Amino acid sequence: MEFSGEKEMSKKGVVVSIDEKPSEWRTWEGLHPDILASIFLRLAVEEISRCVPLVCKPWMEVASGPYCWIDIDIQAWCRRRNRSLRAVNRAVNKLIRRSNFTVERLFVYRMGSSGFLSVVNCPCLKVLEVPLSRFTDTLVLNHLKPLPNLRVLNINYCSKISAKGLAAFGNQCKSLLHLKRNLPPQRYWPVDNSEAKTIADTMPNLQRIELCFGSFSDWGLSEILTKCKSLTHLDIRGCWNVKLNGDLKKMCGKLECFQIHPSDFSEQDQLRLFYRYWKVNENETDLFVELQTYWNEIRIR
């Protein structure tokens, strides 16, 4: 028995109504670009770049336009076989141009100066995650433009960025809510409160801060807790110079989530983390994955 309006699958793989004539069937390539883009975004970046454009001309136009490049996540691609700095920069520049500089979320691993110069021209950015990148304080100071929509900044393990670069980000990114500034383990831990002071002075609206293995002391922590009044999450595991003297322990206890290494974490444990880090460095393995495991090895109090 058949009913009017009943649907079946055509030979072309499109859903059609039995009452419709073949000339009225709607094919995939006829979908609106925004709809196609929302489907393509479920694919990996490499598939969007290499496979989708080969299907048909409408798909190629969508994949080549800004529709598919609101979110750009190439961290896994960058880490695979330790992509060279030049290759990473080339990919970043190409994809940002495809987005027509409207990208909102960018995830890159080990980006260099050339890639950063493209990033600064993306005023729509909301999330920028560039761990282990190689751009410098000087580049940030001279070229960073206002990024009024940036909410999340990840500059983990960026060894060429110091308090000067952090100040530039704070001054140009007034909407920052989440800062990730974890550093690699160090052999010695001389007190340096410059970064903590800069964060407190230029990023007062932060709600979440990650500062693992920072070299600041109780004074630097006090600056952050006093000036970042919206702070709810703070991770300072591996910050060996922090002792939580005075009222600091009580202030940290008021946070929604506070993470610090246990008081019985010995100097031998600290050195073990340091030597493991440099062993990983020498073997040129995946530093990003290895460094992430350090936080899990330090028990959370």
Side-chain angles (χ1 to χ4, degrees), residues 7-257:
K7 295 184 177 180
E8 64 179 15
M9 186 70 69
S10 76
K11 292 181 179 179
K12 290 186 176 182
V14 294
V15 178
V16 299
S17 171
I18 293 177
D19 293 338
E20 289 181 350
K21 298 178 180 179
S23 60
E24 297 174 343
W25 291 354
R26 291 159 292 178
T27 56
W28 281 98
E29 63 266 22
L31 290 175
H32 191 278
D34 285 341
I35 298 176
L36 281 174
S38 66
I39 297 171
F40 295 160
L41 286 174
R42 297 176 180 272
L43 304 174
V45 171
E46 291 177 84
E47 293 176 325
I48 300 175
S49 299
R50 297 181 178 181
C51 302
V52 170
L54 301 178
V55 176
C56 60
K57 185 176 179 180
W59 284 28
M60 179 182 68
E61 291 175 349
V62 172
S64 300
Y67 306 100
C68 290
W69 306 108
I70 300 300
D71 291 351
I72 299 176
D73 186 351
I74 58 172
Q75 282 195 1
W77 176 84
C78 295
R79 295 200 300 271
R80 197 177 303 143
R81 297 189 299 275
N82 283 324
R83 299 284 181 177
S84 69
L85 197 63
R86 180 177 297 180
V88 172
N89 284 333
R90 186 165 56 243
V92 171
N93 293 333
K94 179 180 179 180
L95 295 177
I96 286 180
R97 285 196 301 270
R98 282 193 180 183
S99 78
N100 198 21
F101 296 92
T102 61
V103 58
E104 294 182 1
R105 287 167 288 275
L106 179 63
F107 304 85
V108 185
Y109 166 82
R110 201 158 53 186
M111 183 178 69
S113 300
S114 174
F116 180 79
L117 292 176
S118 290
V119 169
V120 298
N121 291 302
C122 300
C124 299
L125 265 179
K126 296 179 181 179
V127 177
L128 177 60
E129 301 220 7
V130 287
L132 268 170
S133 287
R134 307 293 180 83
F135 52 85
T136 65
D137 278 341
T138 301
L139 197 72
V140 175
L141 289 168
N142 292 337
H143 297 283
L144 183 61
K145 301 175 183 178
L147 298 174
N149 299 300
L150 192 65
R151 303 290 191 272
V152 179
L153 175 63
N154 179 345
I155 49 175
N156 287 339
Y157 329 126
C158 293
S159 59
K160 295 186 177 182
I161 296 295
S162 69
K164 293 179 181 179
L166 280 173
F169 277 112
N171 291 328
Q172 298 286 16
C173 310
K174 295 296 186 180
S175 300
L176 270 181
L177 299 177
H178 189 173
L179 174 66
K180 302 179 183 181
R181 177 54 174 166
N182 298 319
L183 296 172
Q186 301 296 320
R187 174 66 178 84
Y188 301 103
W189 309 277
V191 173
D192 182 357
N193 286 303
S194 59
E195 289 199 7
K197 180 71 163 62
T198 297
I199 291 169
D201 290 341
T202 64
M203 306 177 185
N205 297 320
L206 286 175
Q207 297 175 0
R208 295 170 176 259
I209 305 177
E210 299 174 26
L211 294 174
C212 295
F213 290 109
S215 57
F216 56 92
S217 65
D218 280 1
W219 186 87
L221 176 60
S222 177
E223 286 288 294
I224 291 174
L225 292 172
T226 302
K227 296 181 179 179
C228 298
K229 298 186 181 298
S230 300
L231 191 63
T232 59
H233 292 68
L234 179 62
D235 188 350
I236 57 170
R237 284 172 286 173
C239 297
W240 314 121
N241 294 319
V242 172
K243 308 302 181 184
L244 294 182
N245 292 325
D247 294 332
L248 285 179
K249 188 173 183 179
K250 182 178 180 181
M251 294 171 69
C252 291
K254 294 180 180 179
L255 299 175
E256 258 181 60
C257 180

